[in-house]
Amino acid sequence: MGDDVLPVLIMVMVQVGYAGMNIVGKVAMDAGMDPFVHIAYRQIIGTISLAPFAYFCDKKTKPQLTSSILFWFFLCSFSGLTVSQIAYFVGLKYSTPTIACALSNLIPAATFLLAIPFGLENVGFRSKAGQAKVWGTIICVGGTTLLSLYHGPIVIGQSGIHWKFVEKTEKNNSSGNDNLILGPLLLIVSTVSYSLWIIFQARVSEKYAAPYTSTMLMCLMASFQCVIIGVCVVHDKAAWSLDRMRTIAVLYNGIVCTALGYCLTSWCIQRKGPLYVSVFYPLMLIITAVLSWALLREKLYIGTVVGSFLTVVGFYGVLWGKDKEKSKLDTQSLEMKTDYLKQHLRAKCDLELQLSAQSDIKIHAGK
């Protein structure tokens, strides 16, 4: 019972933590924190937080670093941490947490499309699994398009909860940061970049089987990349100062989302598999939508609700197709192993019969 309940509780906690990332990050940026500064500090905090896990968990199993592995680490850090997170938080600044979480559900579909030219995926449209992946991808794209370009009537208005800090940031940003095109476009760029990271990470996992050390090194590389980019973009020294809200946002996202979130997710993947973990990600959309409505006084529009629903449906369609495809491959692999064992046993029996017959012939000849 505990083996089934504990992973569920952990994954729910992880999704709550990620939902909080969107709320805290949005509030900090609305209060004046530059997203480039936020990302730079987050990578540094993430690196420091992951260092103990990398030392104690991978101490005995850590392979030797080579120039080839370091190059793959660079690709992973640049695509999955630097570009993906910068695009995500800049997109979040010009959008809403609910839209940001909804567009994150595009990751399986984007990964599927990008994996085809790399030879890591086959369309297989004649099979049910292939059709599920294709139609799931189409529905995902349709949902995100609707989500990005159409608001429509208001479904749920602003909440009656008054958070004084949020009200203050609303007054300071009376002109509004929402951008119907730029925000969702950057969030889609973040999704595509993260999907590239997944493809690169598959190669890294084969070459360097030390997940905590590899993630720490990626965060370390991303720290240098984000600091360099941040300094080039943000020249004002005052923008790099940390007040109370900025410090909370940086520490929360660096420790909870980068270090703790990765470790807990890795623990669940080892015990239940990647598909089990992926099923929980749409939960973040629901939690974020509720928190955004309650704390950030965000309105929910019909386009957001319908687009999010279609994106989640497409998300599960792609996952279902991947699961069926994996089950089929596992069955074929098991059948091949069974056939090999049968052939091996037959050959062994035939050899024993031949040896037995030769022995009988020798005995008769001796008599």
Side-chain angles (χ1 to χ4, degrees):
M1 185 69 178
D3 292 339
D4 292 331
V5 174
L6 187 59
V8 173
L9 293 176
I10 286 177
M11 284 311 303
V12 171
M13 287 171 54
V14 169
Q15 298 312 313
V16 171
Y18 285 152
M21 173 193 73
N22 290 280
I23 303 299
V24 172
K26 179 67 173 175
V27 171
M29 287 185 291
D30 284 349
M33 188 176 192
D34 192 279
F36 290 93
V37 175
H38 176 81
I39 294 300
Y41 280 125
R42 174 180 173 170
Q43 306 298 6
I44 295 171
I45 297 297
T47 303
I48 297 171
S49 303
L50 279 167
F53 293 99
Y55 179 78
F56 290 107
C57 297
D58 294 337
K59 187 177 181 180
K60 296 181 180 179
T61 60
K62 186 167 57 177
Q64 185 178 0
L65 281 172
T66 63
S67 58
S68 174
I69 293 173
L70 286 174
F71 175 72
W72 281 104
F73 281 166
F74 172 79
L75 290 179
C76 286
S77 66
F78 188 73
S79 61
L81 296 176
T82 301
V83 176
S84 178
Q85 290 190 14
I86 287 176
Y88 186 87
F89 279 93
V90 175
L92 177 61
K93 179 180 179 180
Y94 294 105
S95 184
T96 65
T98 303
I99 291 177
C101 287
L103 291 176
S104 296
N105 290 315
L106 202 80
I107 290 172
T111 306
F112 167 65
L113 291 175
L114 289 172
I116 293 174
F118 282 93
L120 301 175
E121 286 282 355
N122 294 318
V123 178
F125 195 72
R126 294 182 180 180
S127 65
K128 289 184 178 180
Q131 292 174 7
K133 290 190 294 183
V134 172
W135 285 113
T137 302
I138 293 173
I139 293 172
C140 262
V141 173
T144 55
T145 303
L146 180 65
L147 184 75
S148 305
L149 302 179
Y150 177 72
H151 274 179
I154 297 174
V155 178
I156 302 177
Q158 291 181 342
S159 68
I161 300 173
H162 296 282
W163 185 5
K164 292 183 178 180
F165 186 83
V166 174
E167 289 181 352
K168 185 179 178 181
T169 58
E170 284 180 348
K171 291 177 181 179
N172 293 337
N173 296 278
S174 56
S175 60
N177 281 329
D178 290 354
N179 189 311
L180 192 61
I181 301 298
L182 181 60
L185 180 62
L186 287 171
L187 291 169
I188 292 172
V189 170
S190 172
T191 299
V192 173
S193 181
Y194 188 84
S195 299
L196 275 175
W197 173 80
I198 293 176
I199 295 172
F200 295 151
Q201 182 64 28
R203 181 64 62 87
V204 170
S205 299
E206 296 174 359
K207 292 177 173 288
Y208 197 83
Y212 301 106
T213 302
S214 64
T215 306
M216 186 205 66
L217 291 173
M218 290 177 201
C219 283
L220 181 62
M221 290 183 178
S223 298
F224 287 103
Q225 295 165 9
C226 291
V227 167
I228 292 171
I229 294 172
V231 169
C232 292
V233 175
V234 184
H235 302 288
D236 186 9
K237 292 182 179 179
W240 290 87
S241 61
L242 294 176
D243 57 18
R244 183 180 176 184
M245 188 63 219
R246 295 181 182 186
T247 303
I248 291 172
V250 168
L251 291 175
Y252 180 90
N253 289 336
I255 297 172
V256 175
C257 301
T258 300
L260 189 60
Y262 177 82
C263 293
L264 291 176
T265 303
S266 298
W267 183 88
C268 288
I269 289 174
Q270 289 177 355
R271 283 154 181 78
K272 293 292 185 178
L275 185 66
Y276 179 89
V277 170
S278 300
V279 168
F280 287 88
Y281 277 92
L283 181 63
M284 178 174 59
L285 173 60
I286 300 172
I287 298 171
T288 302
V290 173
L291 291 177
S292 297
W293 172 78
L295 300 178
L296 304 185
R297 305 176 70 186
E298 180 184 327
K299 299 175 184 177
L300 291 181
Y301 299 91
I302 187 67
T304 305
V305 174
V306 176
S308 299
F309 175 76
L310 290 174
T311 305
V312 172
V313 169
F315 172 89
Y316 281 123
V318 176
L319 288 185
W320 184 87
K322 289 288 295 178
D323 183 47
K324 288 295 181 183
E325 194 175 62
K326 184 177 180 298
S327 299
K328 185 179 179 180
L329 290 173
D330 290 342
T331 303
Q332 291 176 349
S333 177
L334 182 62
E335 290 176 352
M336 290 176 63
K337 290 180 180 179
T338 304
D339 291 339
Y340 173 78
L341 288 174
K342 286 180 179 179
Q343 292 175 3
H344 182 71
L345 288 172
R346 285 174 187 169
K348 187 176 180 180
C349 289
D350 291 340
L351 181 61
E352 288 178 353
L353 288 173
Q354 290 177 5
L355 293 173
S356 177
Q358 290 176 2
S359 178
D360 290 340
I361 291 171
K362 290 179 180 179
I363 291 170
H364 288 298
K367 290 180 178 180

